[in-house]
Amino acid sequence: MSTPFPFTAVVGQDDLRLALLLNAVSPAVGGVLVRGEKGTAKSTAVRALAALLPAVPVVPGCRFSCDPASPDPACPDGPHEAGTGVERPARMVELPVGASEDRLVGALDIERALSEGVKAFEPGLLADAHRGILYVDEVNLLHDHLVDLLLDAAAMGASYVEREGVSVRHAARFLLVGTMNPEEGELRPQLLDRFGLTVEVAASREPDQRVQVVRRRLAYDDDPGGFAARWAEEEAAVRARIIAARELLPSVRLGDGALRQIAATCAAFEVDGMRADIVMARTATALAAWAGRTEVLAEDVRQAALLALPHRRRRNPFDAPGLDEDKLDETLEEFGGSDEDDPDPDPDPGPDGPGGGGGQPEPDDAPQGDGDTGARPEAGENGQPQPSGGGEQSAVRASEPFRTKVLSVPGIGEGAAGRRSRARTEQGRTTGARRPRGALTKLHLAATVQAAAPHQRARGRSGPGLVVRRDDLRQAAREGREGNLVLFVVDASGSMAARQRMSAVKGAVLSLLLDAYQRRDKVGLVTFRGSVADVALPPTSSVDAAAARLETLPTGGRTPLAAGLLRAHDVLRVERLRDPARRPLVVVVTDGRATGGPEPVALAGRAARLFAADGVASVVVDCESGPVRLGLAGQLAGELGGTAVTLDELRADSIAGLVKDVQRRAA
């Protein structure tokens, strides 16, 4: 086994280390979600924590790590008699992004069940992680149904597997740690809420600290054992402090004054439900135990709020998480002072080494006030551009987003799980049966019996019963929904800025981005104006990055429609090589005019027909306005082999859209 990097040797990242230690003291806190850019010691810190946890006594031979002092009466390997056991190090189990449901929760050996009548169960990663750490790197890329399963297990402390009439339950209590890079996409809010704490990490901008990081890493790579030995004393001290805090935790008192501050803080930041209050109470209690106190103080409540509320406060999907600390301090001061025993002047509940520093959020986490547009350029009154002829105009603010009608890719795909288009998936309704490809996971019992029945006489079966062989097994074919690549091709030319339409256009694209965020799509952004087309954002899962690029998009100049379409075609060609299973949906936002380059109309038509030849699903959002309309966007949609919708029809509650849908059904 390789020597892990010492936890106490991690440079900086005080909030991250403190959050991990609090969960080590009190697993009831509910785990940690670590958000941050790559190369910020997220994985290193989590792996290092496992080496700090005390050894775990287990029942010999139990695959589910039962505690010999109080074995699980429902353990599938039981029953066990209480007594002495053996000790093993605490485990850190990694859940790969591409893991199947069977790998996570365990699987029944269906072949043995059918051929031998044996209900054999193979434990999964949840069983391996019991009484240890379950680590999910890039948790935002994990399929939603897997995230639901592991969060349910973490909340209930048990895993349930029920298939083909067989039910298995085993204990699954673990410290859940997830890491993610927000640039690759966000977790759904309801999944964010299930993580107890969240921490934002970023690489230090201090040269001296960066030098220290490099020196320690190089020293560790040269001699892992020797490097770890130099930190052994600090590691032992933190391990002893974790054990002492665990023993002190039941004696910590959460007074009415501290509890009132917790409730007032959660109410002030408008968090939904009561989970935030409970997590804050548990975190504040763990902070007091970690500091060696038996009383929760106001600074514990403040620190707990900074760790437990940023991902729970009510915010727009594209807002960065974070708390308004001035508002937090005002709330704590207003509802403080009820308890008489708040004499401790030391505001730092963290350890002297790891976790020290007070857990203050980074400047990048500063909240955005309601309606705050920061340094966004204003182009004119009411956010509209000032007329400037054919030259470049300043970026304008998007109008308020709205709920859009569903745009989908025709046919059935096999892409990543999502919520947009029909797809063959492991989850969803059963639509048929097929031969298994690899390991059998979802048995289609009726199809299996039908496949085996004609061969019973040849297999020597003349009485009741059924002889089933591997060739007879049938996998259930299921249909669900997939996420797509939604590539926006946005006309930013002067004709779009005319009649002050760009604010509405940006609002429509922002609305579609919000829809893509909710449907788990990847998005890309191509813009064209003047004489060129640019890839403003290569395909990514970070929808908020697309929203930021859209916000600063300037307008003006001629309309190189053909260049925009050709650039989008190139983007799809490259993306098809990277991710061939993800089907694209091209959304062209334009009034259909083409004025850039020689023979612009003919060239745009030829470029559009490339998409039709490749069978790419496309939608043209017609931005033409005014009493006289040329219908150019509709002609472009015909060349693309797609459909056209107006800005009004794009709204889910649009009367025009409803009428058009009724007419289409009637036809």
Side-chain angles (χ1 to χ4, degrees):
M1 179 178 175
S2 61
T3 304
F5 192 91
F7 188 84
T8 49
V10 175
V11 179
Q13 308 300 4
D14 298 330
D15 286 355
L16 169 59
R17 292 186 292 162
L18 179 59
L20 291 172
L21 289 168
L22 293 177
N23 274 271
V25 171
S26 176
V29 167
V32 187
L33 176 65
V34 187
R35 297 163 42 94
E37 59 197 30
K38 54 186 178 293
T40 50
K42 300 189 297 291
S43 301
T44 298
V46 177
R47 294 187 176 97
L49 178 68
L52 285 179
L53 297 180
V56 178
V58 297
V59 173
C62 178
R63 297 174 298 167
F64 301 88
S65 301
C66 280
D67 187 348
S70 56
D72 182 3
C75 176
D77 283 356
H80 306 298
E81 294 185 2
T84 58
V86 297
E87 287 193 345
R88 63 161 176 78
R91 290 175 180 161
M92 193 202 74
V93 177
E94 291 195 48
L95 174 61
V97 169
S100 65
E101 181 179 336
D102 288 342
R103 185 73 186 97
L104 176 62
V105 301
L108 298 174
D109 192 333
I110 298 174
E111 294 183 45
R112 289 186 63 192
L114 290 174
S115 59
E116 303 175 24
V118 177
K119 297 179 181 179
F121 177 73
E122 289 297 326
L125 295 177
L126 291 180
D128 293 341
H130 180 45
R131 305 175 69 197
I133 299 174
L134 181 61
Y135 173 53
V136 189
D137 194 14
E138 305 295 349
V139 65
N140 52 321
L141 304 182
L142 198 65
H143 287 183
D144 284 351
H145 73 281
L146 294 183
V147 179
D148 287 333
L149 287 171
L150 71 90
L151 291 177
D152 285 342
M156 296 186 297
S159 175
Y160 296 85
V161 183
E162 303 203 20
R163 293 180 185 168
E164 285 74 48
V166 178
S167 177
V168 176
R169 174 231 172 254
H170 64 83
R173 292 183 294 275
F174 46 81
L175 194 168
L176 177 64
V177 182
T179 60
M180 59 174 284
N181 185 343
E183 293 181 359
E184 293 297 327
E186 292 283 358
L187 276 172
R188 288 185 287 127
Q190 54 267 48
L191 300 183
L192 276 173
D193 184 56
R194 299 296 293 273
F195 281 94
L197 310 179
T198 187
V199 176
E200 296 282 329
V201 297
S204 172
R205 300 296 183 258
E206 293 292 331
D208 291 342
Q209 195 172 72
R210 295 175 74 96
V211 168
Q212 194 175 20
V213 170
V214 174
R215 288 193 182 280
R216 291 187 183 181
R217 186 70 210 191
L218 293 177
Y220 170 78
D221 291 340
D222 289 341
D223 183 10
F227 184 82
R230 292 197 292 273
W231 291 88
E233 186 175 344
E234 289 85 350
E235 293 283 284
V238 174
R239 187 179 298 108
R241 190 170 177 182
I242 291 174
I243 296 173
R246 285 183 175 183
E247 294 174 351
L248 182 62
L249 186 65
S251 303
V252 176
R253 175 180 174 271
L254 180 64
D256 290 342
L259 194 55
R260 191 176 299 109
Q261 286 182 317
I262 290 172
T265 301
C266 292
F269 286 96
E270 299 182 337
V271 297
D272 295 324
M274 296 297 298
R275 184 175 284 118
D277 303 63
I278 296 170
V279 171
M280 271 192 66
R282 290 171 173 166
T283 305
T285 304
L287 280 162
W290 179 250
R293 290 185 267 100
T294 57
E295 188 78 19
V296 173
L297 304 181
E299 54 263 30
D300 299 326
V301 176
R302 187 182 193 279
Q303 181 68 69
L306 293 173
L307 293 172
L309 294 188
H311 60 305
R312 290 188 170 92
R313 69 176 178 85
R314 189 169 295 177
R315 60 189 179 93
N316 293 325
F318 303 133
D319 289 346
L323 288 185
D324 183 340
E325 292 194 48
D326 291 336
K327 180 179 179 180
L328 173 61
D329 291 335
E330 291 173 4
T331 303
L332 294 176
E333 183 177 355
E334 179 181 355
F335 291 89
S338 299
D339 281 358
E340 298 179 358
D341 33 16
D342 252 354
D344 190 349
D346 182 8
D348 180 11
D352 296 335
Q360 300 298 330
E362 296 292 335
D364 289 343
D365 292 39
Q368 300 296 324
D370 292 339
D372 180 21
T373 58
R376 296 172 185 166
E378 293 291 344
E381 294 183 0
N382 300 321
Q384 302 298 343
Q386 297 284 5
S388 60
E392 180 175 313
Q393 300 172 9
S394 301
V396 300
R397 295 174 56 184
S399 61
E400 285 298 316
F402 51 84
R403 188 166 64 90
T404 67
K405 63 187 302 181
V406 180
L407 307 176
S408 61
V409 179
I412 301 179
E414 295 183 346
R419 296 184 172 186
R420 183 172 297 278
S421 305
R422 296 171 58 196
R424 298 181 184 90
T425 63
E426 289 297 320
Q427 302 296 318
R429 62 186 181 91
T430 301
T431 58
R434 58 175 173 82
R435 291 182 180 274
R437 303 167 187 167
L440 177 67
T441 55
K442 302 287 186 180
L443 177 71
H444 195 296
L445 187 58
T448 299
V449 171
Q450 289 176 354
H455 308 291
Q456 295 307 296
R457 181 170 297 179
R459 296 172 183 174
R461 171 66 70 179
S462 58
L466 194 67
V467 177
V468 179
R469 295 180 179 173
R470 181 174 181 81
D471 290 343
D472 303 324
L473 298 178
R474 295 295 182 268
Q475 176 90 19
R478 297 174 179 265
E479 183 178 306
R481 292 278 169 178
E482 67 176 1
N484 298 110
L485 166 61
V486 183
L487 181 61
F488 294 93
V489 185
V490 180
D491 183 350
S493 65
S495 67
M496 292 288 287
R499 303 188 185 93
Q500 301 182 341
R501 282 180 287 163
M502 204 59 199
S503 178
V505 168
K506 284 189 175 183
V509 178
L510 187 64
S511 303
L512 290 166
L513 284 171
L514 179 58
D515 183 66
Y517 166 82
Q518 295 168 339
R519 299 186 186 280
R520 312 294 289 171
D521 295 316
K522 290 180 71 173
V523 296
L525 179 62
V526 173
T527 64
F528 58 94
R529 65 184 181 87
S531 59
V532 296
D534 297 313
V535 181
L537 184 71
T540 175
S541 296
S542 179
V543 177
D544 52 348
R549 301 290 173 88
L550 176 72
E551 189 67 35
T552 58
L553 177 66
T555 60
R558 302 182 71 83
T559 311
L561 177 57
L565 294 175
L566 291 173
R567 179 58 63 91
H569 190 267
D570 286 342
V571 170
L572 293 185
R573 178 181 55 81
V574 174
E575 190 64 20
R576 193 176 292 115
L577 297 175
R578 293 174 176 169
D579 191 359
R582 190 181 290 268
R583 297 187 296 162
L585 172 64
V586 176
V587 179
V588 185
V589 185
T590 181
D591 56 8
R593 296 173 184 268
T595 60
E599 299 184 355
V601 177
L603 187 58
R606 288 197 295 270
R609 288 191 288 274
L610 292 176
F611 292 86
D614 291 342
V616 176
S618 59
V619 175
V620 177
V621 179
D622 184 0
C623 302
E624 192 174 27
S625 63
V628 179
R629 303 196 180 193
L630 303 178
L632 299 177
Q635 296 176 22
L636 175 62
E639 299 278 8
L640 288 166
T643 58
V645 295
T646 66
L647 288 174
D648 289 337
E649 292 170 347
L650 190 61
R651 295 178 180 270
D653 55 355
S654 166
I655 297 298
L658 293 174
V659 172
K660 190 172 182 179
D661 287 342
V662 170
Q663 292 174 341
R664 184 165 53 248
R665 293 192 189 99

